[in-house]
Amino acid sequence: MEKNNITYTPLKGSLNDGLLNSVLDLYKDLFIDADCDFFKERIQTQTHVFSVLAFSNDELIGFKIGYPKNMETFYSWIGGVKQKYRNQGIGKELAQLQEIHAKETGYKILQTKSMNRFKPMMILNLKNGFNITKVYTNEKRQAKIIFEKNLG
């Protein structure tokens, strides 16, 4: 699917090595404390992974990846858009395509997590109809915020 010269590619299942490496490169650019081993392990061990990739020409500029948490909840795990492509609706489009997939696949709830330091993601979640359902501190003493959206 193409929109405003950006191509969106939805993918079910594992990413091939080339795409995985491109996503990992972008992941490292987006997240200062990127743990590539954790990322690779998670994406390779989850079943029914669903990814939406955004390309400008052949350059990966954004991604949104999720997987089922349980029978009724789809977990929107991670995503991001390259800095120079932000504020163009790309993150919103990635999120909408993921939500459509979750709904069409029969999930009732879309869930995601964020941290206070990722304010643009928190704002996007709230603008897209998510509610804050829980705030907790993880083992690294970081505050995490759980957002959920009812798909029913």
Side-chain angles (χ1 to χ4, degrees):
M1 168 193 325
E2 189 171 321
K3 193 172 185 179
N4 298 331
N5 295 322
I6 306 296
T7 304
Y8 296 91
T9 305
L11 299 165
K12 293 179 184 178
S14 315
L15 298 175
N16 66 41
D17 288 343
L19 286 176
L20 179 59
N21 288 333
S22 293
V23 170
L24 279 169
D25 288 343
L26 182 51
Y27 171 69
K28 287 185 276 188
D29 286 345
L30 295 174
F31 300 99
I32 297 165
D33 56 353
D35 181 343
C36 291
D37 292 334
F38 169 77
F39 184 97
K40 284 171 68 173
E41 180 185 336
R42 168 98 36 120
I43 201 167
Q44 292 172 337
T45 58
Q46 290 300 321
T47 56
H48 307 291
V49 171
F50 180 75
S51 307
V52 185
L53 308 180
F55 295 90
S56 176
N57 298 313
D58 290 329
E59 177 189 9
L60 179 68
I61 60 165
F63 65 89
K64 191 83 169 145
I65 301 172
Y67 51 84
K69 185 174 180 179
N70 56 44
M71 295 296 286
E72 73 170 23
T73 304
F74 189 85
Y75 181 58
S76 178
W77 171 44
I78 194 159
V81 175
K82 271 190 174 186
Q83 183 71 37
K84 74 177 190 176
Y85 290 94
R86 292 187 185 162
N87 299 312
Q88 298 178 36
I90 296 166
K92 184 174 183 169
E93 185 70 20
L94 290 167
Q96 286 177 334
L97 291 168
Q98 184 183 68
E99 184 176 325
I100 289 167
H101 166 77
K103 196 179 248 186
E104 288 178 349
T105 313
Y107 294 96
K108 306 288 184 229
I109 298 168
L110 187 57
Q111 183 186 82
T112 192
K113 291 181 193 172
S114 192
M115 292 188 279
N116 195 46
R117 65 185 171 131
F118 299 125
K119 286 179 177 40
M121 194 72 229
M122 293 173 55
I123 292 166
L124 180 66
N125 288 334
L126 293 169
K127 282 184 174 180
N128 286 338
F130 281 82
N131 293 307
I132 296 171
T133 57
K134 184 176 181 180
V135 178
Y136 69 96
T137 303
N138 69 8
E139 63 280 350
K140 295 178 184 175
R141 304 200 40 81
Q142 300 166 318
K144 297 269 187 161
I145 302 144
I146 297 178
F147 296 85
E148 290 186 350
K149 182 176 187 175
N150 195 339
L151 299 176

